Every structure is written in structure tokens, then in C-alpha cells.
Amino acid sequence: MVSHPKNILHAARRVSSYFIFILIVFSMSSPLLAVDIDTVCKEYMSGQYEKCAKSAKDGILGVIGEERGILLVKSLMALGKYEQAARELDIARLGEPLSLRLLMLGYQVNLYTGQTAKSNEMLSIIYRDATTFEISDWSPTDLVALGEALLLQGMEPKIVLGELYNRALRLDPSCRDAYLSSGQLALDKQDYELAAAQFRKGIERFGDDPDMHYGLAKAFYTSNRQLMMESLDAAVFLNPNHAPSLLLMAEHYIDCEDYTEAKRYLDRVIAVNQWNPEALAFRCVLAFMNDDQAAIKQSRDNALRYWSKNPKVDYIIGSKLSQKYRFTEGASYQRQALQFDANYQPAKIQLAQDMLRLGREEEGWKLAEEVYNRDKYNIMAYNLVNLRDHLSTFTTLQSDRFLVRMDKREAITYGDDVMALLEKAEKDLCKKYGVKLEDHVLIEYFPDQQDFAVRTFGEPGGDGFLGVCFGNVITANSPKPELPSNWKSTLWHEFTHVVTLNKTKNKMPRWLSEGISVFEEIQRDPSCGQRMTPQYRKMILEGELTPVGDLSSAFLSPPSTEHLLFAYFESMMVVEYIVKNYGYDALQKILADLAKNIDIDKAISTHTESLQNFEQNFEAYAKKLAGDLAPNADWEEPEEAQMQLITSDPNGVKDWLKNHPNSLWALTQHAQHLIDENKLEEAKEPLNKLIELYPQNIGSDSAYLILSQLYKKLGQTEQEKQILKKFCEYSSDSIYAYTRLMEIAIDANNWDEVAKNCENYLSVNPHVTSIHLQLSRANEKLGRDEPAINGYKRLLKLDYPDQADLNYRLGRLYEDKDTKEAKRYVLSALAEAPRFRDAQKLLLKIIEEDQESQQSKPEVNDPNEMSAAIQEDIQ
């Protein structure tokens, strides 16, 4: 940079300020009415934009240049008076030609008036001045403006943050602009944790600044909607007309599918600025939800009225459509945004995600790489590029309808089972819902949860999700022993989404989509899916049901994991209520209406009853289901203080039982006390009573499991087996129960039960090779040759330690089917273990039965001579 003393820059500013002061003095009609700068700033911060603009226009005591111009232009911009704002900006720059803040404001203003060339000129002037003066010549606020300009011109974000934003804060720890711009930079790079930290620091100094609270809300948008809403409430309290906060509120309600509430917030923005492009873009989204083509066009045209090539308009429309699973339409808007600005990175990375979710992976990965190559700090692009490299090592399984991508070892372990289940799901569910799939369905399994999250959400996180469906693309976590869950049920659930989304053309509310998928899990296997629990019972009876019309919102910002799971359960109950009371035909007609863009509330009213009556009757139905859970049980529990007294008294629980003989809590406590005292026979009575009162209990305190372990200690194996089988009627993921039932069946040579429990076990954890071996042996014992052969071959590919035994068993299974294959496997067994007597005998038997082999090979009876003969035969 060329070095210039600070006094030159300051002198230039003094001269220009004096010049503009003369202009202002002669132009002000009532200089004695001028107000102080703090008052005008408060007017702007509180959303009194008309008043602020007038105050700034009339004059501010002691302020004659930059601050006055900035407040005036920003107020006019907030009011949608873009052309007037541009004129005032030019006047303000006459007095402050070296103000980088005014230049950056001019860059924005001129975009909104369609003067792209002039807007770019502002950036060029900033760059010119930045290379003319030393960095030490600039004020902290100008350093921030310089950083914003350099970012637009492709400067490395790390340099801008360290050399400009952080430098500004070192020079002035109360530099408001530095907090806002550094927080926004973190938001732009999807580093939401850093963004939240920056805005929190800003709030410590500027607690009455709505922009700071809005920035913090934005940082919470993808992670914690409750905290987001708290921050937005603070921002809107400080400034009821704060457009960014009102727009984020509207976006939240669009996500919740509460379009009435979203419209209310958009109306508040448009009442202040009828040309706010973001508000009009969101209005366009609402018009899409109503299939109002005229409103779609009008809203978009109005949004682009002043800045005709504003890429953010189409980016907003497209991204919200994609969130509604309308990826094809969403992608078309991103392409339009990129036509306006080929380097608009938000649209490009969103288009990359859209392509990946549509299964058009080649284009999706290419777009992600383009974003990453241009911006190495874009976290989403970085994550996707790394994931693409990892996915290249996966194995692809393919059929006429399905493409399944899995880790190579996992594909061997349970890939065939995945394909078989998908074929059955297509046959059953497509027929049931009258759907014919036209395109391939892609399913990707990820052993690494973070890879799953990146593929699904574009960033790490997503804990608790087992799978996600995007229409014809399903992403899923691989089964994990530490988080037992029935992967077959999960896959069935996700494929149900494929069917219902195709049937409705991706135009269904989330609650209905999830409700049908959980419902179909239960139809496939009653032990799967969700069922009424004590916690759900309590929530329903205490009035925590979400009205059906608002049910999608329950998925978006639940106060706890339990509430999220309850949203799934309530949705399933609604579907169950429709089917039980109005039949599958009514459900099918509702889905058909949704495909025609008919509102869900209207569809329900048309094919069941009015929404008001439906919600009332459903609530009664749900309360009856809750009341029917263990209806004869006593659900009352002592208060915490009373509970401590009861449990500390040796006879306390017995005394409670005298007055509460059906108390689930007391019966559980009593049974455990008896077991602790080794009174096992006596413990049977309260445990059996618990099962009688509450047979559906499969929680950690389930009487089934406690009683089964008691029977095991007593050596009463038959009773243990029966109680575990009963438990498995309600549970689909109990590794302990399946393992123990398997052991009992093996001891009894009950190979049918062995096979059944092996299959149940592998539906939860398919990674245990010893279970695969046991299943193959059980199938062999039962004469199920084909699954036995497939199982042994699978273990060979997985490098199971006893390769000789596997080859021998395969040779034995092929003996009557294909002597050539039989001989090959037996020879492989003997190559592993030359003195394997059973294999030697089997080989001799095969040779004796093969007349052609007898003619071509000498008879070998001496085991000591057999090794050389085997090696010769293998060669």
C-alpha cells in the first residue's frame, strides 16, 4: 500500500464535512428543530423509520456528515423508498467521499435501484481507497466496511476476520458493526456456534440492539427453535417493525406449515415496505402452497420490481419449496437465481443439495465441488466434497427398481436382506396405495453417523435420526449395537414415505407422512412401531395433544426428545383414527386430494367430518386409548418426599400396597425387594401381577425381563422361554431376549426357534458373524439348503475364522446338487485343514460317486497321501 499520514485523510474529511455543512445550513428549513444523534438512532432502532428519516433530513445536532446520511438512507431503505435513498446517498457522499461505510451502503442501495454498474463502481472505489491508504488510516467502522467489500470481491474470510473485523474490535471494543459483520460472516459459512458466540458478545454491549438479537436467533435457526423464538421476541420487542426478525418468524411458521400465522408476519413487513423482496418471495411460497399461479407470478414480479436480478428472491422461493420436498420445482428456482448471478453461492450449494436429493448425484457433487473450490470456508460444501470421496469406496447393489449403496463389508453382511425387504415393500405398499414407481429409488446406508448427517442435512448433527426420505432417495444410519433398533422396521417406514410422497407428488404435511409410515410399521409387524407408554398416557390425559391442524409444528421445535417421539405417535394415532372410523378408502382420497394441491384441512373435512369435529372426536379417541392402557392398574405414585420415607421403611412399600394393591410402582418395588432378599418364589407373585395389569410394558423396568431372569436363576427354563416369547410380542429390538431364546432353543434342538430368533437378532444387529453362522446351521438342520448355502458363502466373504468348516458344510450341501461345486468346496476345506477327517471322507465319497472322476484319478485311501493329491487337484 502507498503510505499517507493520517492527517491527510482526516484533513480531507474535514474539508468535505465543512462543505456539506454549508449545504445543509442553507437547505434546512428549521435548523432550530434539529434533534440529537442519540434520539435519531433510537428512532431507527425502534422501527420509527418515517420519523427517523425526517429527523435525519431536517438535521441532527452536532452531526453533519456520515452518521446523518447513513441513518437517512437506511430509514428510506427500510420504507422501500429505494430511489429516494439512492439520491440521498449521493448527497451524503458529497460531504464524505472517503467514507467506506457510505460506499458500502451505496453498493446495496444501487442494487435495489437496478444500477448494477454503479453498485460495482462503489466496490471498486473501496478497493482503490484500500490500496491507497494504510490500514492504520481507517476508523474501526471503516475497517468493517472494507472487510465487507473485500469479501464480496473474493478475499479470504480468515484474513478479513483477523485483519479487519478483529482489528476493529481491538481498536474499539464497542464497535457495533464489527460484532454484526463477524457474526454474519460466521452465519454465511454455516459456523453457527461461532455466530452465536459473536452475537452474544454483541448483546453484552448492545442489549437494546434488535440486530444483535436477530443475529443470535439466526444462529439458532437450524438447531434450537425455542431459543431462536426467544431471541426474535427480544428483537421484535425492541423494534416491532424489524423486518429481518419478522421475516424469520414468518419463515419459521412456513416450516411449521402454519401458513396463516406466516402471512400475518409477512403482512407486518409489507405494511412498512410494500416492496420488501424477501417478504414478497415468502408470499410467493405461500401462493405455491395454495397453488395460486396468479399470486405466484405477481409476488415474484413485485419482489423483483426494483432489483430485477436479485438472486436472493428465487433462492428463497426455491429453498422453501425444497424444504417441502418439492425438489424439482425448488431446483428450477435455484437455476434462475444462478442465471441472475452465476456466483451466488447460497443458490449453488442449495442446487447441489437438490440434485443429490433427486438422485442426480453427478451434477450434485459437481456443484458442491464448484462451491468448495471458490470458497474453502463453506462448511456445507467442504463436508459434501469429503463425503463424496468416502462414498466412492461404497458398494452398489442394484435391481430393476432399487440402487442400494453401502459400505463394502456391510453390503456383504446384510445387503441381500435389504434388497429382499425393499422388493417386498414395493410389492405390498405400492399395491396398497395404488402407486407405480417410475424411477429408481436410491438407498444409502452410512456406518458413520456424521456421514449420514452430512448427506442428509449438509452438516454434522442429526443425532436420533435413523433414516430420512426425500422422495425417491433414502438415507439411513447403519444399524448400531450401541443404539439397538429394528433396521427392517426403519427401512419399511422410510419406503412408506417413498410411496406416499409419490402418491401426493410431494405435497403432504409432515405429520401425515410420518403418521402413515409409523402406522405401516405396525401393520407389517405389531411388535414394531410406537405404542402407548405411561409418558404418552400422561401427556394425553394432561392435555398435551397438539391440534391436528398444527401437528406438523410439533416436529419442528419440540421441547424434548420425548415430545418429538410423541409427535410421531400422535400422528400415527390420527391415521389410525381415520382408518378405523372412515376406512382406508378415506385415507386414500385424502392423499389423492393433496396431490391436487387441496389443503389438508379441507381434504380431511371432505372425507371425514369438519375439522373442528374431527379434532374434538380425535381427542376423545386418543384419551380413550390413554385410559385403556392398563385400565385396572393404579398409576398413582407417592410424592418425592413421601417416596423417600416409604422406601427407607422396610415395611413402607407393603403398607402402601395395602391401600394401593394394583400400584404399578409399589408392585415393582416390592418384587425387587423380594429378589434382593433372595425370596425368588415369592417375587413371582408381584411380577405376574404386573404383567397381568400392564402386559404392554417393555421398558427398562419391564416385569417380563425381571421375571425371565428369576426363572433362569431357578432353572425353570420352560417358564423363562414362555415369558420371553411373550415379551417379544411387544418388543422388536431386544438383543437379550433373542439371544437367550436362541440358547434355549439350541439346547432343545429346536432349530425352527433357533432360526427365528437368529433372524430377529439380525434385524437389530446384523454385524455379528456368530449369529449368521448359527442361522446358517439352523437352516441346514431344517433342510433349507438355499438360505444355508447363502449364509455360509456370506461368512466366507466376511473372512470368518473357521474357513475349513464353512467350505466343508458347503461341500456337503452341494453334494446332491452339483458334485463339481461340492468337490471344489471340500478341496478348499482340505487346503485350509489337510487333516480334516470329515472333509476327507466327504471327498472320498464324492469321488466314488463320480464315475468320470474315478476314471481320471487314482483311488487314494491313505490320509497321509491325500494332501499331495488335493494340491494336485486344486491346481
Side-chain angles (χ1 to χ4, degrees):
M1 291 185 177
V2 178
S3 177
H4 287 267
K6 292 183 183 179
N7 60 338
I8 295 177
L9 178 61
H10 295 164
R13 286 183 169 173
R14 283 198 300 272
V15 171
S16 60
S17 296
Y18 178 77
F19 175 71
I20 195 65
F21 173 72
I22 297 300
L23 291 177
I24 292 171
V25 167
F26 284 99
S27 63
M28 285 171 50
S29 57
S30 303
L32 295 177
L33 298 177
V35 294
D36 63 273
I37 184 65
D38 287 343
T39 299
V40 183
C41 284
K42 287 178 181 177
E43 288 172 351
Y44 179 79
M45 287 290 190
S46 61
Q48 301 177 70
Y49 302 125
E50 292 278 9
K51 193 172 183 181
C52 179
K54 184 176 187 307
S55 297
K57 184 72 174 173
D58 290 346
I60 305 173
L61 288 174
V63 179
I64 57 176
E66 184 182 48
E67 289 297 333
R68 171 189 169 279
I70 288 171
L71 285 167
L72 175 55
V73 172
K74 282 188 172 181
S75 294
L76 293 171
M77 290 283 288
L79 294 166
K81 300 177 179 181
Y82 302 124
E83 292 171 344
Q84 185 181 347
R87 291 194 296 272
E88 294 295 344
L89 187 282
D90 289 340
I91 293 171
R93 284 203 62 238
L94 289 174
E96 292 287 342
L98 297 177
S99 168
L100 300 190
R101 295 172 70 199
L102 281 171
L103 284 166
M104 268 308 297
L105 190 55
Y107 165 78
Q108 298 167 8
V109 170
N110 285 299
L111 285 175
Y112 277 84
T113 55
Q115 300 182 67
T116 307
K118 192 172 180 180
S119 180
N120 291 331
E121 181 187 354
M122 298 289 176
L123 290 183
S124 298
I125 295 172
I126 293 174
Y127 185 77
R128 181 199 67 196
D129 289 351
T131 57
T132 301
F133 298 100
E134 286 284 358
I135 194 171
S136 57
D137 291 331
W138 300 108
S139 69
T141 51
D142 276 336
L143 287 174
V144 176
L146 175 59
E148 292 173 347
L150 292 177
L151 284 172
L152 289 169
Q153 293 177 317
M155 175 65 75
E156 176 133 350
K158 187 175 182 180
I159 294 176
V160 171
L161 181 63
E163 298 299 323
L164 297 175
Y165 294 167
N166 289 344
R167 180 184 180 87
L169 286 171
R170 287 194 299 271
L171 292 171
D172 179 9
S174 294
C175 181
R176 171 182 177 270
D177 291 358
Y179 289 108
L180 290 173
S181 292
S182 58
Q184 185 59 50
L185 177 57
L187 288 175
D188 291 341
K189 305 308 174 187
Q190 299 98 39
D191 191 340
Y192 302 114
E193 187 174 340
L194 176 60
Q198 289 297 107
F199 287 118
R200 282 195 177 104
K201 290 177 184 176
I203 289 171
E204 288 175 6
R205 292 180 178 272
F206 307 99
D208 59 351
D209 188 331
D211 288 337
M212 295 292 177
H213 290 283
Y214 162 76
L216 185 58
K218 192 72 174 174
F220 289 133
Y221 176 76
T222 61
S223 60
N224 193 321
R225 292 294 176 100
Q226 186 173 349
L227 291 178
M228 180 197 78
M229 293 299 283
E230 290 174 7
S231 295
L232 288 179
D233 285 341
V236 174
F237 174 78
L238 293 165
N239 180 353
N241 295 323
H242 194 249
S245 296
L246 296 172
L247 289 169
L248 193 56
M249 285 276 201
E251 185 173 5
H252 167 72
Y253 283 109
I254 289 173
D255 295 344
C256 293
E257 297 173 8
D258 188 344
Y259 303 125
T260 301
E261 193 68 4
K263 181 180 181 299
R264 188 170 72 84
Y265 281 100
L266 293 178
D267 288 347
R268 287 177 62 178
V269 176
I270 290 170
V272 176
N273 176 4
Q274 64 176 320
W275 306 115
N276 185 295
E278 294 177 44
L280 292 164
F282 284 122
R283 268 196 173 179
C284 189
V285 174
L286 296 185
F288 259 103
M289 297 304 104
N290 292 323
D291 195 28
D292 187 339
Q293 296 301 317
I296 291 171
K297 184 179 185 306
Q298 182 179 359
S299 295
R300 183 174 179 274
D301 288 348
N302 289 342
L304 296 171
R305 173 165 178 162
Y306 285 95
W307 181 1
S308 62
K309 293 187 177 182
N310 182 355
K312 193 171 185 179
V313 170
D314 287 317
Y315 165 72
I316 288 173
I317 297 169
S319 61
K320 300 320 290 184
L321 290 176
S322 293
Q323 281 188 2
K324 303 302 180 185
Y325 285 31
R326 297 168 71 163
F327 301 111
T328 300
E329 294 160 294
S332 69
Y333 278 92
Q334 303 309 338
R335 294 190 194 280
Q336 181 60 62
L338 291 170
Q339 283 187 16
F340 287 158
D341 182 351
N343 294 318
Y344 190 66
Q345 300 306 290
K348 187 169 285 190
I349 195 64
Q350 180 62 48
L351 182 58
Q353 287 281 53
D354 289 341
M355 292 298 99
L356 292 174
R357 289 164 181 171
L358 286 166
R360 295 166 61 176
E361 294 182 286
E362 184 177 352
E363 183 179 0
W365 296 127
K366 180 182 177 183
L367 287 163
E369 186 171 23
E370 287 178 8
V371 174
Y372 177 68
N373 288 337
R374 183 177 176 85
D375 181 3
K376 295 292 193 294
Y377 293 89
N378 189 297
I379 293 176
M380 186 177 292
Y382 170 81
N383 288 333
L384 287 172
V385 168
N386 283 333
L387 176 62
R388 177 199 59 187
D389 295 340
H390 188 191
L391 276 172
S392 66
T393 66
F394 278 28
T395 294
T396 299
L397 308 176
Q398 186 169 355
S399 68
D400 290 342
R401 178 64 58 210
F402 300 104
L403 288 171
V404 177
R405 191 168 292 134
M406 307 175 76
D407 170 82
K408 183 177 180 180
R409 183 176 178 84
E410 292 198 346
I412 296 170
T413 305
Y414 65 104
D416 289 344
D417 297 328
V418 169
M419 296 297 287
L421 187 69
L422 286 169
E423 298 290 350
K424 178 171 174 53
E426 181 190 18
K427 179 182 176 182
D428 293 356
L429 293 170
C430 287
K431 180 180 178 181
K432 188 174 191 176
Y433 286 90
V435 171
K436 183 179 181 182
L437 299 177
E438 300 295 339
D439 300 317
H440 269 96
V441 178
L442 172 65
I443 301 95
E444 292 180 337
Y445 274 96
F446 296 92
D448 187 316
Q449 197 277 335
Q450 294 307 304
D451 284 348
F452 161 77
V454 169
R455 176 66 171 91
T456 306
F457 308 109
E459 58 188 5
D463 295 341
F465 284 90
L466 298 175
V468 173
C469 174
F470 296 106
N472 278 14
V473 174
I474 294 171
T475 59
N477 267 307
S478 298
K480 291 176 173 55
E482 65 273 19
L483 296 170
S485 178
N486 191 300
W487 69 262
K488 290 186 177 179
S489 185
T490 299
L491 184 55
W492 195 272
H493 175 110
E494 299 304 334
F495 186 76
T496 303
H497 283 309
V498 173
V499 174
T500 55
L501 287 170
N502 270 273
K503 184 175 181 68
T504 61
K505 300 178 182 176
N506 287 18
K507 299 174 183 178
M508 64 190 307
R510 181 174 179 182
W511 73 261
L512 182 57
S513 184
E514 297 294 358
I516 293 174
S517 285
V518 176
F519 180 77
E520 290 298 345
E521 279 186 83
I522 298 170
Q523 300 309 299
R524 170 187 167 269
D525 182 347
S527 71
C528 295
Q530 288 184 280
R531 57 176 46 81
M532 187 73 70
T533 67
Q535 181 63 28
Y536 294 168
R537 173 186 180 275
K538 182 179 180 183
M539 293 170 77
I540 292 170
L541 295 180
E542 292 183 358
E544 291 193 50
L545 280 172
T546 302
V548 176
D550 301 327
L551 196 44
S552 285
S553 65
F555 290 90
L556 198 59
S557 52
S560 69
T561 301
E562 191 72 32
H563 283 81
L564 176 60
L565 294 174
F566 182 64
Y568 281 91
F569 180 68
E570 182 180 346
S571 300
M572 183 279 295
M573 285 195 297
V574 177
V575 173
E576 184 180 72
Y577 172 76
I578 293 171
V579 172
K580 283 187 175 180
N581 289 277
Y582 302 97
Y584 256 109
D585 186 54
L587 182 62
Q588 298 275 21
K589 288 178 179 177
I590 289 171
L591 296 178
D593 278 0
L594 293 175
K596 300 172 186 174
N597 255 324
I598 295 174
D599 178 74
I600 180 61
D601 294 350
K602 183 177 180 181
I604 288 175
S605 299
T606 300
H607 302 294
T608 60
E609 54 191 319
S610 70
L611 184 63
Q612 181 179 0
N613 289 341
F614 183 92
E615 288 184 332
Q616 291 175 350
N617 291 333
F618 167 71
E619 182 178 359
Y621 172 78
K623 287 183 175 179
K624 183 177 186 308
L625 289 180
D628 287 345
L629 181 68
N632 297 320
D634 185 342
W635 291 92
E636 182 182 354
E637 293 184 10
E639 296 292 333
E640 186 175 349
Q642 187 184 12
M643 188 179 290
Q644 291 178 355
L645 291 172
I646 292 172
T647 53
S648 62
D649 182 350
N651 295 314
V653 172
K654 291 181 181 178
D655 291 341
W656 178 270
L657 274 172
K658 289 178 183 177
N659 296 318
H660 305 82
N662 290 342
S663 167
L664 298 177
W665 170 81
L667 287 167
T668 302
Q669 294 290 319
H670 182 47
Q672 192 57 56
H673 289 165
L674 292 172
I675 292 171
D676 292 343
E677 295 169 1
N678 205 31
K679 297 178 180 178
L680 303 186
E681 289 292 342
E682 293 180 41
K684 291 180 185 178
E685 182 181 349
L687 290 170
N688 278 310
K689 187 169 185 178
L690 281 167
I691 291 172
E692 179 186 347
L693 289 169
Y694 183 13
Q696 302 95 333
N697 183 15
I698 57 171
S700 57
D701 62 343
S702 172
Y704 290 111
L705 295 178
I706 300 172
L707 188 55
S708 72
Q709 290 166 4
L710 185 151
Y711 283 135
K712 185 178 180 182
K713 287 181 181 179
L714 292 171
Q716 297 173 349
T717 306
E718 182 60 29
Q719 292 91 326
E720 179 191 4
K721 180 181 79 172
Q722 294 304 322
I723 208 71
L724 286 173
K725 288 179 71 174
K726 189 70 176 174
F727 174 75
C728 290
E729 291 178 11
Y730 298 102
S731 172
S732 64
D733 56 14
S734 177
I735 290 293
Y736 169 78
Y738 300 144
T739 302
R740 184 60 189 140
L741 285 169
M742 200 188 312
E743 292 169 350
I744 294 170
I746 290 171
D747 289 342
N749 288 320
N750 187 340
W751 298 109
D752 191 58
E753 284 292 312
V754 172
K756 178 181 177 182
N757 284 288
C758 283
E759 288 171 351
N760 288 338
Y761 186 110
L762 294 172
S763 295
V764 181
N765 181 7
H767 305 299
V768 183
T769 52
S770 61
I771 304 298
H772 284 282
L773 178 64
Q774 202 61 261
L775 175 58
S776 299
R777 287 180 174 174
N779 282 325
E780 185 181 355
K781 292 280 188 181
L782 293 166
R784 302 169 183 167
D785 290 356
E786 186 175 349
I789 288 171
N790 291 337
Y792 289 135
K793 286 181 177 180
R794 175 183 295 167
L795 288 164
L796 281 174
K797 292 178 183 178
L798 293 171
D799 296 324
Y800 188 78
D802 196 348
Q803 295 276 298
D805 182 65
L806 296 174
N807 279 299
Y808 164 70
R809 290 177 179 277
L810 283 165
R812 196 165 62 184
L813 286 164
Y814 272 113
E815 181 185 354
D816 296 329
K817 296 178 175 62
D818 187 332
T819 56
K820 186 177 180 180
E821 279 292 283
K823 187 176 180 182
R824 183 171 70 84
Y825 280 111
V826 176
L827 289 171
S828 295
L830 289 167
E832 291 282 338
R835 297 186 180 278
F836 191 166
R837 289 285 181 175
D838 287 341
Q840 291 172 353
K841 292 176 183 178
L842 181 57
L843 178 60
L844 290 172
K845 183 181 177 184
I846 292 170
I847 292 173
E848 288 173 359
E849 293 173 352
D850 188 339
Q851 294 302 319
E852 182 179 349
S853 295
Q854 286 180 358
Q855 293 173 6
S856 62
K857 292 193 178 293
E859 184 176 351
V860 181
N861 292 311
D862 185 352
N864 293 322
E865 298 175 6
M866 188 164 290
S867 178
I870 291 167
Q871 294 300 328
E872 180 183 348
D873 206 341
I874 291 175
Q875 292 172 2

